[in-house]
Amino acid sequence: MSSETGFVTLDIKFPGSPSFFCAARVAVSLGVAMLLSGCLSGSDSQQSDPVVVETPVAYVERALLFDENTGTLVEDNLADPAAFRPGARLLLKARASADAETRDIASRAFTGPQFLDDSGRLRYDVKDLHVSHDGSRLLFAMRAPEIEGADDEDQPTWNIWEYDVGTDGLRRVIDSDVTARAGQDVAPAYLPDGRIVFSSTRQRISKAVLLDEGKPQYSGLEEAGNNPAFVLHVMDDDGQNIQQITFNQSHDLDPMVADDGTIIFSRWDNAGQTRNNGVNLYRVNPDGTGLSYLYGRHSHGSVPEANNVQYLQPRKSDNGKLLVQLRPFESEDYASVPAEVDVAQFVEANLRIDGTEGEGQQSLVPGVGLDGQLSLKGSYASVSPLLDGTNRYLVSWTPCRLRDGATDRIVNCTEDRLQSEDYQPAEPVYGLWLLDINGETQRPVVPPIEGIQFDEAVLMKERPLEDFIPESQFTGKEGALGDAGYGVLHIRSVYDIDGVDTTPAGIAAMADPLQTPPEDRPARFLRLEKPVAIPDRNVRDFDNSAFGRSRAQLMREILGYVPIEPDGSVKVAVPANVAFAISVLNEQGQRIGARHQNWLMVRPGETLECAGCHNPNSPTPHGRPGAGPGSVWGGAATTGLPFPNTDSGLFADMGETMAELFARINDIRRPTPDVIYADEWSGDAVDPKPESFVYAYADLQTPPPISGVCAADWASNCRIVVNYEQHIHPLWSVNREVLDPDTMAVVDDYTCTGCHTNTDAAGAQQVPAGQLDLGDGPSPAQPLHFNAYRELLFPDNEQELVNGALVDVLVDSGEVLEDEEGNPILDAEGNVQPIMVTVPVQASMSVNGARASNFFDVFAEGGSHRDFLTPAELRLIAEWLDIGGQYFNNPFDAPED
C-alpha cells in the first residue's frame, strides 16, 4: 500500500508483452477499507456466489487502434454512432471469473475470404449488448468488415443480431439484405412484448413526410451536419413491421425499458446549436406517445473532471435510480464516470422536480479519470449492474498508467509521477472487473491485455419483465384529427412563464375583453415551425452559403398560424410525426420572446399538454410532466357560464381554458397559412366590437411562399417555405408609384430600389439612400448571395461619391503609423501619418428576429416609411427573420455546388 495515496497496488504481467508491466490500482480508496486479498484469482470468495459462478458473461474484445502518422490512440466520438472500429470480437465467458472458459460467438457470421483483409485478418466491429428477460438471448449491433476500395455509401451497415445461448444460434434479426442495408441500426433492447426497440438512421416515417413535401426520400443529417441522425424505431423480433417512434433532428440513442414500460433514452438536444445543448435523458412510450424530457439539460458541468459531460447509456440499478455513463462526446481514452441519477425526484443534478435544491447525482466511484485527466483511481469505460440486490457491477476498468520518457517503460501512477514532466500518459489497458460497492472490492473477470480493450460486459441472467404499455387509441375529435395526420397541442396560457403570471393585472383580467381589448394583449398568434432535414452531399450537394448569415437555425419551414385566445391559451391541431417548435407573436406577427430551441412532437391523435412557456435562461424545471411549478391559470371558475364579458353561447366547464372551451363547442383549431384575427369572444357589453384583420399571402404582389394547392386547402403536409431570392428580394423592386387619380400622373414613388440603389435613373453612380443598396446583382463578398441580402444582414462600410465612383469613407482614427519601437513614421514632408479607418454601417436586419431588427422602425407609426410596405409584406419579412433569415429554406432550391 502506498502511504501517500492510500491505494493498494497489484503488479500484473500482461500476456504477450513480457517487457511491459503495469500497476492495477483498485478503484476505491482504502479510506473505505477496500479488501483485496486474493483478488487476482478470487476463486474462494466467488465459490459461494452461484450468480457469479454459474452465469455466463458476454463481452466485447476490441483491439486498440493507433493513428498511423502520430502513433496516438484513435479517439472515439459518440456523435458518430456509425463509427467503425475494426478488430472487435464478441465473446461468451462461462462465468464471471478469470479462469472460466471463453468462446467466440459472432465471428462465424463472416465466413469466407471476402471478409478478410490483405493480411488475412477478420476485422469486424460489434457493440451495444443487451440481454433478454429470461437470460437466454443476447441482442447486439454488428458491422461486417470494411470493403477494400468501396465508397462510404457502399460499405456494410450496422445491423441488429441475436445470439441464443441454449441453441448456440446466431442470426441477423432483419433477414432481408435489402432491408438490412436501408439504415444503420444500433443500440437494441427487448421490449416486454418481445419486440425490439433500437436506434437507426432509417427515419422511415420522416422519409415518407419528405415525399409528401415534394422532396426525395433521404436520411436527414443531425444538426451539426456530420452524420445521419439516429432516432428510435421498433420492430418485431423477426425484423418485420419496422416503425419510427421519435423524430429528433439529432441523435436519439441508448434506449432502455424502465420498469413501468416506458423507454428511457439519451437525446442529443442541438436545436439552434446553443451553448446549453447536449445529450440529456428523455422518456417515451413504445408507440412514440408521451415523449418528455427527463433529466440533465442544465447539468453538463456537473462533473469537475470535465467541462461538458453527456448523459449516456442509461441502465437500471438495484436502488431504483438510473445508472448512466458521463463523458464528453470525444474521448482519447474511452473513459466515463459511472454515476447514479435519481430521476424520480430530480430533474437536474442539483434540482429536484419541485424546484428545490439538492443532490440528485452521485458517482459510483468518485474521482476517477476522465477526459484525459489521469487519476490514481484509474478510469472506467462501460459499467453494467448485476441487478441482484448486491450493488455489484461488471465494469471495464484501466489502472492509471504512465510512460517513462527516459526508458519508454510503462509504470504505475504516483502523485510525484503525475506532477512530473518526465512521464506522459500511457494508453489504457481495460480489463473486465467485478466491482462490489458494498463489499468494497474489485475482482478481475477478464485480466487486461496490452493493446486490447475488454468492454461492455453483461451477465446472461434472468430479470423481471417490465410492464407492458399497449398502443394508444384516440377517439372523438382527436381521433379524427389523427386520421388526417394531426396531433394536438394545448397550452394553458402563454402568459404563464415558469409558473409566474406575467400579465399586469392577472390572466383573468387579460381574458376579459371588456377589461383588455385585443390591441392591449401582447400575445396574439402562435406560429408553428418545423426544421428542414438537411441531406448529405450524395443527395444534394449545395454550398454552405445557402444557410445565409448564420447556420445556427439551419433551414426552417412554417407549419401555420393560429390565434391565441384572450387568456393566452392555445389548442391547435399540429402535423404529427414531425419535430416542431413554437413562437408567440404580437399583433404584427413578430415573435415576442426567445426562440424555442427544443423540438416538440406529437403522434397522430395525441395531445401534448403544456402549462405555459419557459425562459431558457431559467433553471426552473420545464418540459417534464410533474416537474416544476403547476399552472398559474385555473381556467373557468365555474361550469355552465361564459367567461366574463364573452359571448353567452361560449359556456365553460369548470377549469377549462378558453381554447378548450372553443374546441369543445366549435372544433379544435387547425393552423392556417395566413395570420387571421376575427373577434369570436366579445359579449354584448363590448361595444364597439374589435375589428378583424388578416395578413394574407394572396395580398402579395410577389410570389407567395406556399403552393397553389396548399393555398386552396391547407393540410398537414403543407409548408410555408421562405427563400430570400424567390420571396424577399422581389419586394424591393415592386412598383410602388402613387398616381394622381384624375390625371394618372406619378405624384410619388415609394419603390424601394428607386432610392436604395447605387445607380440613378441615368445609370450614374450614386450613394444609396440610408447607405442601403437593395438592387440586383451578386455580392462582391459572396457571389452566391444577392448584394442586397448582404447589405441588409451584414455590417458594411459607409460610402461616398468621389469623382463619380463609390468609395469607402475614411476617417482619422486618432492614431498614427509607428515603427516597431513605437516611434511615429513620418512622411516625406516630416509629418506624422494618421491611420485612416472605415466608418461602419450596422445591418438593419438581424437573424435573431424581427424585433431585433431596426429595419421595421421606419415602417411603424410616425416612421419615415410608414405605409411604404403593406402589412402582408411586413409580415412576410418578419416571419422570415424570426425563423433565422436564411438565404434558402429548402436545400433543393439552393443551387448545386
Side-chain angles (χ1 to χ4, degrees):
M1 183 178 74
S2 167
S3 61
E4 295 180 357
T5 64
F7 285 82
V8 167
T9 301
L10 303 176
D11 289 325
I12 300 174
K13 182 175 181 180
F14 297 109
S17 300
S19 63
F20 287 90
F21 290 84
C22 173
R25 295 184 179 274
V26 299
V28 180
S29 169
L30 285 183
V32 290
M34 185 159 222
L35 305 178
L36 288 175
S37 58
C39 74
L40 281 181
S41 63
S43 58
D44 293 340
S45 62
Q46 295 179 17
Q47 285 177 354
S48 61
D49 187 348
V51 173
V52 176
V53 172
E54 303 300 334
T55 306
V57 176
Y59 62 94
V60 175
E61 174 192 292
R62 177 176 286 110
L64 296 181
L65 301 180
F66 297 89
D67 187 280
E68 294 180 355
N69 297 319
T70 65
T72 58
L73 195 63
V74 174
E75 68 177 17
D76 68 337
N77 185 354
L78 298 182
D80 182 12
F84 178 61
R85 291 177 59 191
R89 293 193 303 160
L90 179 58
L91 304 177
L92 185 68
K93 199 173 187 65
R95 59 188 182 276
S97 62
D99 58 353
E101 177 188 358
T102 303
R103 55 194 175 95
D104 184 328
I105 60 174
S107 296
R108 74 183 92 160
F110 309 112
T111 58
Q114 71 272 21
F115 294 110
L116 304 180
D117 66 10
D118 293 341
S119 301
R121 299 172 299 177
L122 178 61
R123 293 171 59 77
Y124 62 94
D125 200 0
V126 61
K127 62 179 182 177
D128 300 341
L129 279 55
H130 179 79
V131 180
S132 64
H133 297 89
D134 62 2
S136 68
R137 289 165 295 141
L138 180 71
L139 280 177
F140 54 94
M142 187 161 64
R143 212 206 87 159
E146 194 99 352
I147 300 175
E148 188 72 26
D151 294 334
D152 288 345
E153 62 268 23
D154 297 324
Q155 293 292 348
T157 57
W158 283 94
N159 301 137
I160 306 302
W161 290 72
E162 184 182 62
Y163 174 75
D164 190 306
V165 177
T167 65
D168 192 35
L170 178 68
R171 70 181 182 102
R172 190 177 65 190
V173 173
I174 299 175
D175 183 63
S176 165
D177 289 341
V178 174
T179 306
R181 284 191 54 81
Q184 305 277 3
D185 302 333
V186 299
Y190 290 102
L191 291 167
D193 60 0
R195 292 182 300 156
I196 297 169
V197 58
F198 62 104
S199 184
S200 177
T201 62
R202 294 175 181 274
Q203 304 180 22
R204 278 204 164 189
I205 295 179
S206 296
K207 288 179 178 178
V209 170
L210 287 171
L211 203 60
D212 289 341
E213 294 173 346
K215 301 184 182 83
Q217 293 188 330
Y218 57 89
S219 293
L221 299 177
E222 38 80 13
E223 286 149 307
N226 297 316
N227 305 287
F230 282 74
V231 292
L232 299 189
H233 295 65
V234 296
M235 64 179 170
D236 295 341
D237 62 358
D238 61 358
Q240 300 296 311
N241 193 28
I242 301 173
Q243 297 289 329
Q244 181 181 351
I245 64 169
T246 66
F247 299 86
N248 192 22
Q249 297 304 287
S250 291
H251 302 319
D252 289 343
L253 300 169
D254 306 334
M256 63 148 279
V257 183
D259 290 337
D260 63 2
T262 59
I263 298 168
I264 295 176
F265 63 98
S266 297
R267 163 164 284 197
W268 186 8
D269 284 320
N270 202 23
Q273 302 170 68
T274 62
R275 62 182 177 84
N276 287 329
N277 287 356
V279 179
N280 307 307
L281 298 179
Y282 275 71
R283 186 198 309 269
V284 72
N285 294 326
D287 65 354
T289 61
L291 174 70
S292 68
Y293 165 73
L294 189 62
Y295 185 95
R297 184 172 294 149
H298 299 286
S299 302
H300 298 286
S302 60
V303 177
E305 294 83 1
N307 293 325
N308 193 17
V309 297
Q310 314 301 330
Y311 285 81
L312 304 160
Q313 296 286 341
R315 296 290 182 263
K316 299 176 187 178
S317 68
D318 284 326
N319 58 16
K321 298 178 181 179
L322 277 186
L323 179 68
V324 297
Q325 292 178 222
L326 304 177
R327 54 158 286 182
F329 273 122
E330 299 180 5
S331 173
E332 296 180 351
D333 57 7
Y334 317 136
S336 65
V337 172
E340 287 183 334
V341 295
D342 184 0
V343 295
Q345 300 297 324
F346 285 78
V347 69
E348 303 292 346
N350 61 353
L351 194 67
R352 294 185 176 90
I353 58 176
D354 63 3
T356 60
E357 293 185 357
E359 294 185 9
Q361 180 175 303
Q362 185 176 11
S363 298
L364 280 184
V365 183
V368 296
L370 182 68
D371 197 22
Q373 300 298 312
L374 297 180
S375 166
L376 294 174
K377 295 182 180 181
S379 299
Y380 289 85
S382 67
V383 55
S384 175
L386 267 57
L387 295 178
D388 60 354
T390 63
N391 205 17
R392 292 182 299 172
Y393 306 85
L394 287 172
V395 298
S396 175
W397 177 79
T398 178
C400 180
R401 311 199 313 157
L402 295 168
R403 188 177 295 276
D404 187 329
T407 65
D408 202 36
R409 184 172 181 266
I410 294 178
V411 298
N412 63 308
C413 295
T414 65
E415 288 285 5
D416 290 341
R417 287 170 178 168
L418 287 174
Q419 299 300 320
S420 172
E421 296 182 356
D422 296 332
Y423 298 88
Q424 297 298 321
E427 58 271 17
V429 58
Y430 285 100
L432 296 180
W433 301 74
L434 183 62
L435 172 63
D436 185 342
I437 298 295
N438 294 341
E440 299 173 346
T441 61
Q442 182 165 293
R443 295 185 172 89
V445 175
V446 178
I449 297 177
E450 198 71 41
I452 298 293
Q453 178 184 8
F454 295 107
D455 203 11
E456 296 195 53
V458 292
L459 204 62
M460 301 291 296
K461 65 184 288 287
E462 187 177 1
R463 56 189 170 85
L465 196 67
E466 299 89 1
D467 292 342
F468 169 70
I469 300 178
E471 187 170 349
S472 301
Q473 301 294 325
F474 302 103
T475 59
K477 293 179 179 179
E478 288 78 8
L481 283 172
D483 293 339
Y486 289 99
V488 178
L489 170 66
H490 176 226
I491 305 173
R492 289 196 65 83
S493 181
V494 299
Y495 300 120
D496 179 346
I497 309 259
D498 293 321
V500 176
D501 183 346
T502 58
T503 59
I507 294 176
M510 184 69 69
D512 186 335
L514 188 61
Q515 294 190 58
T516 310
E519 61 267 22
D520 291 341
R521 298 200 304 265
R524 301 297 302 278
F525 305 98
L526 192 80
R527 181 169 55 224
L528 302 168
E529 303 163 3
K530 173 187 171 295
V532 175
I534 304 301
D536 67 25
R537 294 191 177 277
N538 292 321
V539 176
R540 183 73 173 185
D541 188 4
F542 61 91
D543 190 81
N544 197 56
S545 63
F547 296 107
R549 177 70 171 87
S550 171
R551 193 181 183 278
Q553 304 304 315
L554 299 179
M555 297 180 181
R556 292 199 179 192
E557 301 164 331
I558 297 172
L559 300 172
Y561 293 83
V562 65
I564 294 175
E565 312 302 347
D567 63 347
S569 63
V570 178
K571 192 165 187 178
V572 59
V574 180
N577 298 334
V578 298
F580 70 93
I582 59 174
S583 288
V584 177
L585 314 178
N586 62 14
E587 187 175 36
Q588 290 75 40
Q590 301 173 347
R591 189 183 74 246
I592 60 175
R595 275 200 181 100
H596 193 264
Q597 298 285 29
N598 292 96
W599 301 121
L600 306 174
M601 180 201 83
V602 289
R603 295 285 270 161
E606 179 187 13
T607 298
L608 173 61
E609 296 279 355
C610 295
C613 296
H614 176 63
N615 179 351
N617 296 318
S618 169
T620 303
H622 178 76
R624 173 177 167 179
S631 173
V632 299
W633 176 225
T638 187
T639 295
L641 294 175
F643 281 87
N645 295 311
T646 63
D647 189 329
S648 59
L650 296 172
F651 51 90
D653 287 341
M654 186 174 180
E656 275 187 327
T657 64
M658 287 177 138
E660 289 177 303
L661 186 163
F662 187 93
R664 174 173 53 79
I665 291 181
N666 298 297
D667 203 351
I668 297 172
R669 294 187 188 271
R670 296 198 185 195
T672 61
D674 296 329
V675 178
I676 303 171
Y677 171 74
D679 177 38
E680 296 168 299
W681 287 101
S682 295
D684 295 338
V686 180
D687 186 36
K689 297 292 189 288
E691 292 186 5
S692 299
F693 63 85
V694 58
Y695 306 140
Y697 289 131
D699 293 337
L700 295 172
Q701 300 181 59
T702 51
I706 58 175
S707 69
V709 172
C710 285
D713 182 19
W714 195 256
S716 62
N717 65 337
C718 288
R719 308 288 186 260
I720 298 167
V721 182
V722 186
N723 296 326
Y724 177 81
E725 282 193 10
Q726 289 90 344
H727 306 111
I728 303 299
H729 189 75
L731 295 173
W732 317 139
S733 57
V734 169
N735 188 322
R736 304 180 192 275
E737 294 177 340
V738 179
L739 305 179
D740 183 289
D742 296 325
T743 65
M744 301 306 291
V746 176
V747 296
D748 222 332
D749 187 355
Y750 300 141
T751 303
C752 300
T753 52
C755 299
H756 295 284
T757 183
N758 60 6
T759 56
D760 60 19
Q765 289 273 292
Q766 67 174 11
V767 177
Q771 296 286 328
L772 178 62
D773 181 6
L774 297 178
D776 294 331
S779 164
Q782 173 49 267
L784 294 178
H785 288 168
F786 275 141
N787 188 60
Y789 178 84
R790 309 283 296 195
E791 290 267 320
L792 288 164
L793 283 156
F794 289 77
D796 200 2
N797 295 329
E798 182 179 340
Q799 292 191 310
E800 60 183 348
L801 200 63
V802 177
N803 298 325
L806 283 172
V807 296
D808 287 347
V809 173
L810 297 176
V811 297
D812 192 336
S813 68
E815 298 180 357
V816 298
L817 289 175
E818 296 177 343
D819 60 22
E820 296 179 354
E821 297 178 355
N823 300 313
I825 300 176
L826 306 180
D827 62 15
E829 298 177 357
N831 299 316
V832 296
Q833 302 180 71
I835 297 177
M836 307 299 288
V837 295
T838 57
V839 179
V841 176
Q842 296 304 313
S844 61
M845 289 184 176
S846 170
V847 295
N848 292 322
R851 284 166 60 87
S853 303
N854 58 28
F855 173 87
F856 294 90
D857 295 346
V858 297
F859 301 98
E861 185 75 33
S864 61
H865 286 44
R866 179 172 170 78
D867 297 330
F868 284 18
L869 297 181
T870 68
E873 291 172 330
L874 289 171
R875 168 266 177 123
L876 173 64
I877 297 170
E879 67 186 353
W880 169 66
L881 290 172
D882 278 351
I883 62 175
Q886 297 87 341
Y887 201 76
F888 288 102
N889 275 301
N890 182 344
F892 297 94
D893 291 336
E896 289 197 81
D897 204 357

